[in-house]
Amino acid sequence: MATKEQTDPRNNFTPRILPWLLAAAVFVVYWLTLNHWVSLFNYQAVAKMSGWIWQPEVYNPLFYLVTFPFRWLPAAQIPVALNLFSAGCAALTLGLLARSVAILPQDRTDAQREREHSSFSFLTIGSAWLPPVFAVLVCGLQMTFWEQATNCTSEMFELLLFAFVVWSLLEYRLDEREGRLFLAATVFGAGMTENWAMVGFLPLFLTAIIWIRGLSFFSLRFLSRMFLCGLVGLMFYLLLPLLASLSHKVPVTFWEALKVNLFSELSYVKVFFVRPEIRKSVLLLSIASVLPVVVIAVRWRSSFGDNSKLGLALTSFMVHLIQAILLFICVWVAFDPPFSPRNFSLLKQIGFLPPFLTFYYLGALSVGYFTGYFLLIFGKLAEARSRSRPGRTIPDPWQPLNRLIFAGVWLFVAFAVTGLVYKNLPQIRSANDDTFKTFGALVAENLPAAGGICLSDDSRRTILVQAALVREGRAGDYLLVDTASLAVPAYHSYLHKTSPRRWPDTISAAEQTNGIPPLHLIGLLAMLARTNELYYLHPSFGYYFEQFYLEPHGLVYKLNTLPDTTLLPPLPDKNLIAANEAFWARAEKLAFEPIIRSLTPPDLDTPKSFGDKLLTLFHVTREPNPNAGAAGAFYSRSLNFWGVQAQGASELKAAAADFETAKAVNPDNLVAQINLDFNQSLQAGQIVTVDLSKATADKFGKYRSFNQVLTENGPFDEPSFTFENGVVLMRGGLSRQAAAPFERVHQLAPDNLPARLWLAQCYLAS
């Protein structure tokens, strides 16, 4: 007689060993495709772990705890270590997914119950390993999941918590240990402090427990313990506000920090109820995630009142059809068609597009179940017996068709996995390439060897440059300053603590309370310029530039004090022009080719491969390299600025080449296109006119304001737009900066009276 250990399906290879083999295998895949530096996904996490963020942390308390040891690592090792941590979380998540699929009960329909008689209704057929493997591959190869697995964000860790809760509920079905439910409640409560989406899943979590426990759920003892366990998890809300109030990093109280934390999560939950378009979109996305799970949870009868052979056959056919459709949709969504969470057009339009990893996870869980369903139904004979001759199995007349469907399932799995690899592997390689490492190196090469102070109002550039300096061992020579935070007194305290030699403590008691006025900041920078080299990391404008002008050196800009005798910055000399042209020629060779190739639309006349034709058939497209778009915008803005400088120095051919390259690395740079068109008219000797009707808001395309156009694309050097630029600066109280664009209009169109009058006002105001 067989022992219990020999017959217990929980000891089989598929539920017991396979999940951890899969976890190890996918970890190797993520390790091989890992991003080894800073990216658009992980730059905030890297900055926090490296101590480059001055604000106290009030979000993601569990993520803060588990990643705290990374703060002890050398700064150069933190990006890779964090990305490996995310890969580990992804591998554990997929291991739990495989285990969850393996222990899903295959007894939802009569057909399943006729074929599978093992304890707990585990799959015991020879191909029982395929559903967990397929589920793991569908989830793990999906683009959003793969990105988050190879770039550290809190999202992957939060998904691990969600996967743990799902796994705990399924394990409870096997051993009925209440401790699993109590632990699940604790983790779910803690997950709510991490991710607002867990709040949305709370009704489903409670429904699942009621479904599993039945009437015993309403036991007062059980409910009280579940409530207390959930409350313990929710107590993590208090951790980071408490640490923020005790650290004295900024003058914030415990209640103020807690209010910021709670308000952030509640605002996300509130938007679901306030914005009907978001609510409808999320409900539509649930069709390929939540709805299949609901179908899995229900035990279906063999018929719905009609017990005739035809009725039973129709019912069976409808059940097969529904589950086949759900399987196909769940797999299709993993390819990210237009209605997937990653590409849902309506959510993109309103700027609300979280990763939705929980939706992809539930979809993959459903894929595993439905795959097992079809393998069982069409791969194993039902034990139907003859009534007249007991012990004799009735032959199945549909067996040849069953074998065909069974083979079709295997073909579908192979086709889907191959398609995901074909579509997403090139994308993940480009997403984790060296684009930003090259950008950081190009920025760092023009910073002075003696060190200095680097300013920027773009946190992405600041962190990328900081990481580049850390990699080169030069971080201690520079102080990187976020100009958007300079009005906050606590930020000055942080800068002084970080570099007391470079940043003095000049904030008075009154300013600690009332904030720092612009005049103080301008004076502070003027004082710092006497003893430090000041650089800006990109072209910009604002009240800092009432005192300084930008001298371009490749991708960095030295802040020089404006001459006392004029409001106009000097034009670049021949040496500066030669140095910048040489830099941009070298940068074009090192960095621009992959960016331009990625951003260039495909040639419609080029024959498509068979794989691309299939992707097009299912409305699936490869996305452009996100690094190319962001880095291209960085380069384009600086190139356009340099083109304006060269054009102002009468280097028209060099300026035209700069504008053309700026347009190539960022096709959306409308300023570069306008400047290029004007450059061509200048080279053609055409008469220059000022037409203010050109510089209207309808010419700005996706940009909402004139300031946003300048911020994203760089300055204009076309008289109509340059004139409008001067007017905008004057209306903003920046009269010293406004002088340069009005003087440029006066140079190009000497007879334009409004430009001369505005220029006079600039000098009078200054």
Side-chain angles (χ1 to χ4, degrees):
M1 181 176 179
T3 64
K4 181 179 180 180
E5 287 72 21
Q6 292 172 321
T7 59
D8 191 342
R10 290 176 292 186
N11 294 326
N12 290 349
F13 168 79
T14 297
R16 187 172 186 180
I17 300 175
L18 180 62
W20 314 121
L21 292 179
L22 289 173
V26 294
F27 180 78
V28 172
V29 172
Y30 295 145
W31 176 68
L32 292 175
T33 57
L34 194 73
N35 183 0
H36 291 275
W37 205 58
V38 185
S39 69
L40 295 178
F41 299 100
N42 69 359
Y43 75 93
Q44 290 184 331
V46 170
K48 289 178 181 178
M49 300 303 142
S50 303
W52 302 337
I53 302 295
W54 66 274
Q55 298 98 329
E57 295 187 44
V58 294
Y59 306 111
N60 308 113
L62 282 182
F63 185 74
Y64 172 87
L65 282 179
V66 298
T67 58
F68 190 84
F70 291 104
R71 300 167 192 261
W72 303 331
L73 293 174
Q77 299 177 12
I78 287 178
V80 174
L82 283 174
N83 293 343
L84 281 173
F85 169 77
S86 192
C89 289
L92 289 175
T93 299
L94 294 177
L96 291 174
L97 172 63
R99 169 69 178 177
S100 299
V101 170
I103 63 177
L104 279 172
Q106 288 287 346
D107 62 351
R108 304 292 91 181
T109 66
D110 282 347
Q112 289 171 290
R113 293 188 284 271
E114 290 172 356
R115 289 164 173 77
E116 187 56 74
H117 299 281
S118 64
S119 300
F120 310 110
S121 300
F122 285 3
L123 274 183
T124 56
I125 57 178
S127 55
W129 58 270
L130 184 60
V133 171
F134 189 33
V136 165
L137 292 176
V138 166
C139 187
L141 297 177
Q142 192 276 324
M143 190 60 196
T144 303
F145 191 97
W146 205 340
E147 284 174 345
Q148 303 285 334
T150 54
N151 295 270
C152 182
T153 67
S154 62
E155 298 285 347
M156 187 55 68
F157 174 71
E158 292 159 7
L159 181 63
L160 177 59
L161 300 180
F162 181 83
F164 178 85
V165 171
V166 174
W167 168 75
S168 298
L169 296 179
L170 293 172
E171 290 285 355
Y172 174 77
R173 186 182 73 90
L174 305 182
D175 55 24
E176 295 186 347
R177 291 165 51 188
E178 286 189 345
R180 292 191 183 277
L181 298 183
F182 298 144
L183 182 58
T186 304
V187 172
F188 195 93
M192 290 173 65
T193 70
E194 283 285 313
N195 189 346
W196 63 271
M198 295 290 276
V199 179
F201 282 104
L202 180 59
L204 293 177
F205 175 67
L206 296 176
T207 302
I209 296 178
I210 294 173
W211 191 265
I212 294 172
R213 293 272 300 183
L215 293 178
S216 60
F217 171 84
F218 299 98
S219 166
L220 181 60
R221 176 178 174 276
F222 175 77
L223 285 176
S224 60
R225 295 180 69 181
M226 287 288 289
F227 175 78
L228 289 174
C229 289
L231 188 61
V232 169
L234 290 172
M235 293 295 286
F236 280 99
Y237 269 124
L238 309 179
L239 174 64
L240 293 182
L242 180 62
L243 293 178
S245 63
L246 295 177
S247 68
H248 304 293
K249 197 172 184 179
V250 296
V252 61
T253 66
F254 169 81
W255 296 111
E256 288 172 340
L258 180 61
K259 182 179 178 180
V260 170
N261 191 333
L262 293 176
F263 179 79
S264 175
E265 291 221 352
L266 290 176
S267 63
Y268 274 107
V269 177
K270 178 182 177 182
V271 77
F272 181 81
F273 296 98
V274 174
R275 302 282 295 272
E277 65 273 24
I278 292 180
R279 183 167 62 253
K280 292 177 182 178
S281 300
V282 173
L283 290 176
L284 286 173
L285 296 177
S286 300
I287 294 176
S289 53
V290 178
L291 177 61
V293 173
V294 174
V295 172
I296 293 172
V298 177
R299 288 173 63 94
W300 301 96
R301 298 176 58 186
S302 60
S303 67
F304 297 95
D306 187 354
N307 292 319
S308 65
K309 289 184 178 181
L310 179 60
L312 293 173
L314 287 175
T315 301
S316 178
F317 173 76
M318 289 303 299
V319 171
H320 296 340
L321 180 61
I322 290 172
Q323 305 212 40
I325 292 173
L326 290 175
L327 171 61
F328 177 78
I329 291 176
C330 289
V331 173
W332 192 12
V333 165
F335 281 83
D336 293 312
F339 56 85
S340 70
R342 184 181 180 90
N343 293 323
F344 203 75
S345 58
L346 179 57
L347 294 179
K348 273 190 171 182
Q349 291 172 9
I350 60 180
F352 182 84
L353 203 62
F356 285 109
L357 290 181
T358 50
F359 280 40
Y360 286 115
Y361 183 86
L362 292 177
L365 184 72
S366 304
V367 164
Y369 169 81
F370 293 133
T371 304
Y373 171 86
F374 286 108
L375 291 175
L376 176 62
I377 296 299
F378 299 103
K380 186 175 182 181
L381 288 175
E383 295 183 1
R385 304 291 181 178
S386 171
R387 293 183 180 179
S388 59
R389 299 181 62 181
R392 180 186 177 187
T393 302
I394 300 176
D396 186 356
W398 301 103
Q399 185 62 19
L401 180 60
N402 290 352
R403 289 175 180 172
L404 183 63
I405 296 175
F406 183 81
V409 173
W410 279 85
L411 185 62
F412 176 73
V413 171
F415 179 81
V417 173
T418 303
L420 283 171
V421 174
Y422 176 78
K423 171 185 175 291
N424 291 336
L425 183 59
Q427 286 187 226
I428 200 65
R429 284 177 173 171
S430 62
N432 292 334
D433 63 11
D434 292 336
T435 298
F436 289 120
K437 187 179 291 186
T438 303
F439 172 79
L442 288 171
V443 172
E445 75 174 51
N446 281 319
L447 289 174
I453 298 175
C454 302
L455 302 100
S456 172
D457 49 55
D458 184 345
S459 62
R460 297 176 302 170
R461 289 181 189 246
T462 304
I463 293 170
L464 290 171
V465 173
Q466 182 82 58
L469 293 172
V470 166
R471 190 180 69 250
E472 297 179 3
R474 302 170 60 196
D477 299 330
Y478 299 90
L479 177 65
L480 277 81
V481 178
D482 175 27
T483 56
S485 301
L486 280 178
V488 183
Y491 184 54
H492 288 254
S493 301
Y494 164 79
L495 293 175
H496 178 67
K497 183 179 179 180
T498 302
S499 181
R501 181 172 60 89
R502 294 191 183 276
W503 199 269
D505 186 7
T506 63
I507 307 304
S508 66
E511 289 166 336
Q512 288 281 2
T513 304
N514 301 322
I516 305 174
L519 285 178
H520 180 105
L521 297 177
I522 295 173
L524 175 60
L525 291 184
M527 180 186 69
L528 292 171
R530 300 190 191 105
T531 56
N532 296 273
E533 294 279 359
L534 300 187
Y535 280 80
Y536 224 85
L537 297 181
H538 52 82
S540 190
F541 57 93
Y543 52 77
Y544 303 117
F545 304 98
E546 289 291 276
Q547 183 75 22
F548 299 94
Y549 70 91
L550 294 172
E551 181 183 279
H553 295 271
L555 285 164
V556 296
Y557 303 84
K558 186 179 179 182
L559 284 176
N560 291 329
T561 305
L562 280 167
D564 294 332
T565 57
T566 179
L567 301 181
L568 304 176
L571 294 173
D573 58 27
K574 292 183 178 180
N575 292 331
L576 188 60
I577 292 174
N580 277 278
E581 290 297 335
F583 170 84
W584 286 114
R586 188 169 66 259
E588 186 170 0
K589 292 180 180 179
L590 292 174
F592 291 176
E593 191 274 331
I595 293 175
I596 295 173
R597 184 177 65 249
S598 177
L599 298 177
T600 302
D603 187 356
L604 298 179
D605 296 330
T606 303
K608 290 185 177 181
S609 65
F610 176 72
D612 288 339
K613 289 180 180 178
L614 286 178
L615 292 180
T616 303
L617 177 65
F618 289 101
H619 302 280
V620 174
T621 58
R622 286 197 179 99
E623 302 171 15
N625 182 357
N627 298 339
F634 292 164
Y635 290 121
S636 181
R637 179 178 176 184
S638 295
L639 261 170
N640 180 64
F641 180 89
W642 172 243
V644 169
Q645 295 283 305
Q647 187 159 282
S650 300
E651 299 286 342
L652 297 184
K653 291 184 178 180
D658 295 329
F659 293 140
E660 288 176 350
T661 308
K663 184 69 176 174
V665 295
N666 180 17
D668 292 334
N669 192 330
L670 61 88
V671 177
Q673 183 62 59
I674 291 171
N675 290 342
L676 178 60
D677 294 341
F678 179 66
N679 176 279
Q680 293 170 348
S681 67
L682 280 179
Q683 293 194 60
Q686 297 178 6
I687 298 175
V688 176
T689 59
V690 179
D691 182 3
L692 297 183
S693 63
K694 293 181 180 179
T696 54
D698 60 343
K699 303 294 193 303
F700 297 157
K702 65 180 182 180
Y703 303 105
R704 296 186 297 271
S705 66
F706 199 92
N707 283 344
Q708 187 182 15
V709 174
L710 297 175
T711 299
E712 296 291 333
N713 301 298
F716 287 100
D717 195 44
E718 190 279 339
S720 304
F721 288 92
T722 302
F723 184 93
E724 182 63 22
N725 185 15
V727 173
V728 170
L729 291 171
M730 278 293 288
R731 289 173 178 170
L734 305 176
S735 57
R736 294 169 67 89
Q737 286 168 84
F742 287 130
E743 175 63 25
R744 179 60 175 161
V745 175
H746 175 56
Q747 293 173 0
L748 295 169
D751 296 333
N752 186 271
L753 181 60
R756 298 167 66 184
L757 293 175
W758 276 106
L759 184 59
Q761 289 190 41
C762 291
Y763 278 96
L764 288 173
S766 301

